[in-house]
């Protein structure tokens, strides 16, 4: 009985961890890897209006707004089986209709 | 007596000219000093190390070189001095364990002698997405990634085919929800809705 309860407990813990760190989207396996030491839950994403105000204190935002070219190469290198590219931001109305 | 008038007028004019000259010189000496350059204070309040910092005038088409002498660890600050007056765009870059992440600021006003403080938080950075071809024989010919709810699919994010066991790694996505469409060389397309991308996070989707 104790063994059964122990295995049940292990199963529940493993299932819980898997639910948190991975999931299934329409049958596909989805994995999320967060950079070490990052505590994202402690802060929200600042609103855009708070970030680029007229004051002399500004906050960086995670949004590329111009197509300024890089002078140096990307640090993370790809290999034969891993093709690394910068995301091309979506332009409204571009491409095939959904 | 009348002959002395021209001499007197000449002396008077000479004194006035000298006096004006002196005034001009004195004015220069005591004019307020307006420095031509400003300073940026960069504060890293995030949990990651900032590897590169770029600062480019707004009309420049490339970011130029990294101007950080050393990396900026979490909790550290640095001063970038002698920045000429004008408007600038800035970019920060982090090389993480799993991907590269970026943060941006646009139209920073560097007036004469102005000190500007730029803060970096975890939420300042972009996220990344990987598409892994988990099939045995099919290859991916198109990957479309658009913000959730967009009316169209945008353009193809891959410039080459992705064969079985190969990965397409896309960096520099703004955090948020995305709809993804995978186009195969054979069979119907695959669709993944509302895939969440987070700052400083790599999301991998095994598609088959």
């Amino acid at each position: 009985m104790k063994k059964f309860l122990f295995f049940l407990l292990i199963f529940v813990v493993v299932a819980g961890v898997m639910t948190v760190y991975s999931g299934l989207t329409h049958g596909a396996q989805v994995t999320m890897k967060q950079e070490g030491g990052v505590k994202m839950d402690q802060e929200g994403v600042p609103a855009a209006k708070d970030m680029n105000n007229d004051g002399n204190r500004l906050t960086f935002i995670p949004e590329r707004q111009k197509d300024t070219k890089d002078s140096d190469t990307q640090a993370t290198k790809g290999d034969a089986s891993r093709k690394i590219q910068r995301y091309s931001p979506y332009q409204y109305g571009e491409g095939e209709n959904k | 007596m009348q002959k002395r008038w021209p001499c007197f007028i000449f002396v008077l004019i000479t004194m006035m000219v000298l006096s004006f000259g002196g005034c001009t010189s004195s004015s220069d000496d005591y004019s307020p000093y307006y420095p031509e350059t400003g300073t940026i204070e960069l504060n890293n309040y995030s949990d990651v190390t900032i590897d590169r910092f770029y600062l480019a005038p707004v009309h420049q088409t490339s970011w130029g070189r990294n101007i950080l002498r050393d990396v900026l660890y979490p909790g550290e600050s640095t001063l970038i001095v002698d920045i000429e007056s004008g408007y600038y765009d800035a970019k920060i870059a982090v090389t993480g364990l799993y991907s590269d992440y970026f943060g941006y600021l646009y139209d920073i006003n560097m007036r004469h002698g102005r000190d500007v403080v730029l803060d970096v938080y975890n939420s300042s950075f972009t996220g990344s997405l990987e598409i892994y071809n988990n099939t045995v024989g099919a290859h991916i010919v198109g990957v479309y990634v658009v913000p959730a709810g967009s009316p169209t699919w945008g353009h193809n994010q891959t410039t080459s085919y992705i064969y079985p066991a190969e990965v397409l790694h896309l960096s520099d996505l703004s955090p948020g929800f995305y709809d993804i469409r995978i186009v195969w060389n054979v069979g119907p397309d695959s669709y993944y809705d509302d895939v969440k991308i987070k700052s400083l996070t790599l999301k991998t989707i095994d598609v088959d």
Side-chain angles (χ1 to χ4, degrees), chain A residues 45, chain B residues 127 147-148 173-179 194-199 203:
Chain A
V45 177
Chain B
L173 283 91
S174 295
F177 291 91
Y178 289 83
D179 293 341
D194 295 326
V195 175
K196 190 177 183 183
I197 300 294
K198 290 173 73 178
S199 293
K203 179 154 278 189

Side-chain angles (χ1 to χ4, degrees), chain B residues 106-125:
Chain B
Y106 293 98
D107 301 326
I108 304 164
N109 183 359
M110 297 297 301
R111 287 196 294 262
H112 289 285
R114 193 180 188 219
D115 292 339
V116 175
V117 180
L118 306 183
D119 294 333
V120 181
Y121 297 93
N122 287 337
S123 55
S124 299
F125 291 100

Side-chain angles (χ1 to χ4, degrees), chain B residues 122-138:
Chain B
N122 287 337
S123 55
S124 299
F125 291 100
T126 56
S128 298
L129 172 70
E130 269 187 352
I131 304 293
Y132 174 70
N133 184 347
N134 201 25
T135 66
V136 178

Side-chain angles (χ1 to χ4, degrees), chain A residues 29 31 33 35 56-58 61 64 66 69-70 72 76 81 83 85-87 90 94 96 98, chain B residues 54 61 63 89 91 97 100-101 104 117 119 145 152-153 157 161 167 169 172 179 202 204 206:
Chain A
Q29 182 71 32
T31 319
K33 292 174 190 160
E35 294 299 329
N56 68 339
R57 187 163 205 124
L58 305 164
I61 57 169
R64 185 167 21 131
K66 290 183 187 173
K69 290 177 175 54
D70 289 316
D72 51 7
T76 303
S81 64
K83 293 159 183 164
Q85 286 177 216
R86 294 284 284 276
Y87 174 68
Y90 172 73
E94 184 186 52
E96 293 174 49
K98 278 187 176 177
Chain B
Y54 303 89
T61 53
W63 283 110
D89 296 336
K91 180 174 93 164
L97 271 176
D100 290 335
Y101 309 95
Y104 300 91
V117 180
D119 294 333
V145 181
T152 56
W153 280 111
Q157 297 286 337
Y161 292 169
V167 169
H169 184 115
D172 210 7
D179 293 341
L202 170 67
T204 304
D206 298 354

Side-chain angles (χ1 to χ4, degrees), chain B residues 139-191:
Chain B
H139 56 265
I140 297 168
V141 298
V143 174
Y144 297 86
V145 181
V146 296
S150 302
T152 56
W153 280 111
H155 61 268
N156 192 354
Q157 297 286 337
T158 181
T159 53
S160 57
Y161 292 169
I162 303 161
Y163 294 100
E166 285 188 350
V167 169
L168 173 67
H169 184 115
L170 295 172
S171 64
D172 210 7
L173 283 91
S174 295
F177 291 91
Y178 289 83
D179 293 341
I180 298 170
R181 174 187 168 205
I182 306 295
V183 181
W184 302 93
N185 65 323
V186 288
D189 298 347
S190 306
Y191 296 91

